Amino acid sequence: MAAAPFVVSVTTERRNPGVQRDVRVAGPLPGLGTSAAAVPDGADVVADVALEAMTDGRMTATGTVTAPYEGECRRCLEAVSGSV
C-alpha cells in the first residue's frame, strides 16, 4: 500500500538537530471544507513547507498550504470558486 501524500518521513532529520529540508506534497483530502465551501472532489491540496529538527526532538513545519474551493456566497447565494 502506498503512503498517504501528507505523510512525510522525518527519521533522518530527527537524528540531526538543526537540519532543515524543504518538502512539497500534494494530493486529495476528501471531505475538506466548511459549511459554505469545500475543496472539489479529486482536487489536490498542495503543501510547501520547510521541516526543521529541533534539539529537543520536536519538528517544526513552516510554509503554505493551498487548495481550490467551490461554494456559495453567504450574501448573494451565487456560486463562488477560487483558491485559498
Side-chain angles (χ1 to χ4, degrees):
M1 180 200 290
F6 292 92
V7 175
V8 177
S9 175
V10 294
T11 304
T12 301
E13 289 79 8
R14 291 193 67 199
R15 291 181 183 150
N16 300 291
V19 168
Q20 185 172 340
R21 174 172 58 123
D22 293 329
V23 175
R24 179 183 180 102
V25 291
L29 287 176
L32 183 61
T34 67
S35 61
V39 175
D41 289 338
D44 281 351
V45 175
V46 179
D48 285 304
V49 296
L51 299 175
E52 184 174 359
M54 308 304 283
T55 56
D56 61 4
R58 293 180 299 137
M59 295 291 299
T60 63
T62 307
T64 60
V65 177
T66 58
Y69 70 87
E70 295 176 344
E72 183 176 76
C73 175
R74 292 181 181 197
R75 287 195 300 162
C76 68
L77 303 180
E78 293 282 331
V80 294
S81 62
S83 180
V84 64

